[in-house]
Amino acid sequence: MADLIQPVKGMNDVLADQSPWWAKVESVAHALFAGYGYQRVYLPVLERTELFSRSIGELTDIVSKEMFTFDDHGDSLTLRPEGTAGVVRAALSNGLLHNQQQKLWLSGPMFRREKPQKGRYRQFHQMSVEALGFAEPEIDVELIALSARLWRGLGLSSVKLELNTIGTAESRQKYKQVLVEHFSRHRELLDDDSVRRLERNPLRILDSKNPALRELIEAAPLLSSYLDDESRVHFERVEALLGDVGVPYTLNPRLVRGLDYYSRTVFEWVTDRLGAQSAVCSGGRYDGLVAQLGGRDTPAVGWALGIERIVEVMQAEGIGAGDTPPDAQLVAAGDSERRFGFKLVDELRERVPGVRISLGAPSAGFKAQLRHADKSGARFALIVGDSELKAGKIALKPLRDGSPQRLVTVEECVDLLRQTAASA
Ligand code: ATP
Ligand code: MG
């Protein structure tokens, strides 16, 4: 026998035992996005490497060690590690920002060369929502409230909101100096990554996952003392509006996020159900990014969630995906009965929108087919035996509520399944 080909490390198949949860997350989210007026875009998974190094930042974990990058005949290309940079690139490439605002959403695979473990994969899936051209705090809060509504729609109760403001790039300059002084005083405690970051991007040290640095980071001065007035006013408004719509949050003055493009509002939804992989959704304002990528100054805000982690929290909280057994399953043994039944099922599929019908196991014996129909969870068995065939009718057998079997015409069968499908 030939050798089996192994899957790529950290890249998972999502099979039928998991996909109902994915479908639930997607359907609840998609309906909310539409309700809030966000429009879907589909973008390439490959972009020029420069897009990510310029936006996410050279000294971030993502760009410095997690990207899948390769040379394509002299062009350096990278599998997208996140969605926002690509959305902004696409908005600029297609002229979507000329005196226009855009509310967009994106869903698809992202790629990061991380150490695979539960909740952390090399190919994972994000849904992201991006509002381009909006400066108002209402939009920050609209997006946060949208995510809160999504958790409610999914039945999640363990995810909590952490919130911070990191001001504008200008206001962070002064703070950076103070940070450099703080960390330089304890240079011997820093790891190699942090030493490299010290000169060029000291804020990144705050995002370090190295537990040895935790105390030093805890002792660092807070950015809030250096916040510019406009960012302070913006943030007060965000807090007030969150209060108005009743979204609880915890202020986390050390939340800076792992990407350089953020400004002002930043947030993370975290859970205590997934061990170290606690973040399920994160985002914030990125007012400087469009200009950084060559466009005109355009305020923007967005968030991204990881579908794998959302599904894992749902399962950890014992939330089901909602069973969708068939409405009906065919039971027909014998050559002519099978033909009649096959045609009947086709007609029902044509005439009853949304109906879920299964052919079952056409070549099995009558009793085996009936058992199969019962096990499938179907509401009805559509039985075609010798006498039904002669009458051109169907024996409709309710499988769930013990009510008696009835002989019905094709028309009656259509009507009944229309009611069943409509009430599902
Ligand atoms: P973490 O702190 O866990 O590394 P992150 O800050 O790198 O997360 P973001 O870049 O903000 O994550 O991405 C948004 C969301 O995407 C995260 O909240 C998480 O749900 C998901 N995510 C990020 N990286 C991975 C990964 N390697 N595998 C699975 N999901 C991921
Ligand atoms: Mg990460």
Side-chain angles (χ1 to χ4, degrees):
M1 268 205 290
D3 285 345
L4 288 181
I5 295 168
Q6 299 302 314
V8 178
K9 189 174 155 193
M11 306 206 171
N12 300 317
D13 304 312
V14 179
L15 303 179
D17 63 335
Q18 294 298 312
S19 62
W21 278 272
W22 285 60
K24 178 153 182 196
V25 174
E26 286 172 344
S27 68
V28 175
H30 296 184
L32 278 170
F33 298 157
Y36 278 69
Y38 286 76
Q39 294 176 300
R40 185 168 195 173
V41 290
Y42 298 81
L43 302 180
V45 294
L46 267 184
E47 296 276 2
R48 292 183 189 284
T49 304
E50 193 192 358
L51 173 65
F52 304 115
S53 45
R54 235 209 273 173
S55 57
I56 299 169
E58 295 279 2
L59 294 181
T60 57
D61 282 347
I62 295 179
V63 173
S64 68
K65 51 192 173 205
E66 296 174 356
M67 297 206 301
F68 285 96
T69 295
F70 65 93
D71 172 78
D72 178 48
H73 298 286
D75 284 333
S76 179
L77 302 183
T78 291
L79 280 169
R80 63 181 181 194
E82 58 98 45
T84 305
V87 168
V88 172
R89 197 274 309 139
L92 290 172
S93 311
N94 296 284
L96 303 185
L97 297 176
H98 295 308
N99 304 316
Q100 294 171 73
Q101 295 174 316
Q102 301 287 345
K103 287 185 165 182
L104 307 174
W105 69 271
L106 176 76
S107 183
M110 305 293 159
F111 304 85
R112 297 184 193 176
R113 188 184 272 107
E114 302 200 66
K115 192 165 150 254
Q117 52 197 289
K118 188 172 164 54
R120 194 173 292 285
Y121 311 105
R122 292 187 162 188
Q123 173 173 323
F124 62 100
H125 296 75
Q126 283 186 342
M127 276 195 255
S128 71
V129 221
E130 319 284 351
L132 306 173
F134 295 87
E136 302 87 350
E138 278 85 347
I139 309 303
D140 308 30
V141 177
E142 169 179 77
L143 276 175
I144 293 173
L146 165 53
S147 50
R149 198 152 275 130
L150 176 55
W151 316 142
R152 278 204 295 284
L154 294 173
L156 288 173
S157 57
S158 73
V159 292
K160 309 278 184 242
L161 179 61
E162 295 199 353
L163 184 71
N164 191 21
T165 177
I166 59 173
T168 60
E170 302 81 66
S171 77
R172 284 196 297 275
Q173 282 312 325
K174 178 84 184 73
Y175 175 61
K176 280 182 185 174
Q177 286 171 20
V178 185
L179 263 191
V180 172
E181 282 162 27
H182 169 77
F183 288 122
S184 300
R185 256 181 280 149
H186 307 278
R187 206 185 167 99
E188 72 287 354
L189 298 175
L190 296 177
D191 56 18
D192 291 348
D193 270 350
S194 303
V195 170
R196 267 189 293 124
R197 289 164 172 169
L198 189 57
E199 304 305 329
R200 286 169 57 199
N201 196 344
L203 229 77
R204 284 267 68 84
I205 302 177
L206 298 177
D207 191 51
S208 168
K209 299 240 162 58
N210 183 351
L213 294 182
R214 193 166 305 147
E215 252 180 68
L216 192 57
I217 291 172
E218 284 293 318
L222 289 182
L223 196 151
S224 48
S225 324
Y226 300 88
L227 206 60
D228 57 289
D229 286 341
E230 274 185 48
S231 293
R232 190 184 309 280
V233 170
H234 184 95
F235 193 60
E236 282 166 6
R237 191 71 175 181
V238 166
E239 291 196 87
L241 295 175
L242 281 172
D244 289 349
V245 295
V247 176
Y249 59 90
T250 308
L251 286 178
N252 176 356
R254 303 196 192 271
L255 184 66
V256 292
R257 307 281 306 106
L259 307 87
D260 279 351
Y261 51 61
Y262 286 109
S263 58
R264 294 199 169 155
T265 319
V266 291
F267 58 89
E268 245 175 42
W269 287 95
V270 296
T271 175
D272 56 7
R273 303 298 180 91
L274 298 183
Q277 276 53 255
S278 60
V280 296
C281 171
S282 22
R285 226 168 225 293
Y286 47 94
D287 290 342
L289 181 58
V290 176
Q292 215 173 309
L293 291 176
R296 268 198 271 159
D297 242 350
T298 307
V301 52
W303 58 244
L305 65 76
I307 299 181
E308 285 83 354
R309 289 191 196 171
I310 295 294
V311 165
E312 284 161 14
V313 198
M314 285 173 72
Q315 294 173 345
E317 289 193 26
I319 298 168
D323 286 344
T324 46
D327 299 310
Q329 181 159 322
L330 179 68
V331 175
D335 187 61
S336 309
E337 290 86 346
R338 265 169 77 173
R339 262 187 95 170
F340 178 89
F342 184 79
K343 187 164 169 285
L344 167 75
V345 167
D346 189 71
E347 181 175 348
L348 293 171
R349 285 174 172 155
E350 180 67 25
R351 294 180 61 191
V352 186
V355 76
R356 292 187 302 267
I357 300 193
S358 165
L359 280 176
S363 66
F366 184 83
K367 283 213 171 110
Q369 288 195 36
L370 203 54
R371 268 200 310 276
H372 188 278
D374 195 32
K375 262 178 75 180
S376 77
R379 290 268 304 271
F380 302 105
L382 307 177
I383 302 173
V384 183
D386 182 43
S387 57
E388 288 80 17
L389 181 66
K390 286 197 180 110
K393 293 186 174 178
I394 305 118
L396 192 108
K397 182 178 168 62
L399 296 171
R400 302 297 136 208
D401 58 8
S403 49
Q405 181 172 317
R406 282 193 287 149
L407 196 64
V408 298
T409 63
V410 174
E411 286 313 309
E412 287 166 337
C413 192
V414 166
D415 283 345
L416 212 118
L417 286 178
R418 278 200 179 128
Q419 287 162 26
T420 310
S423 65

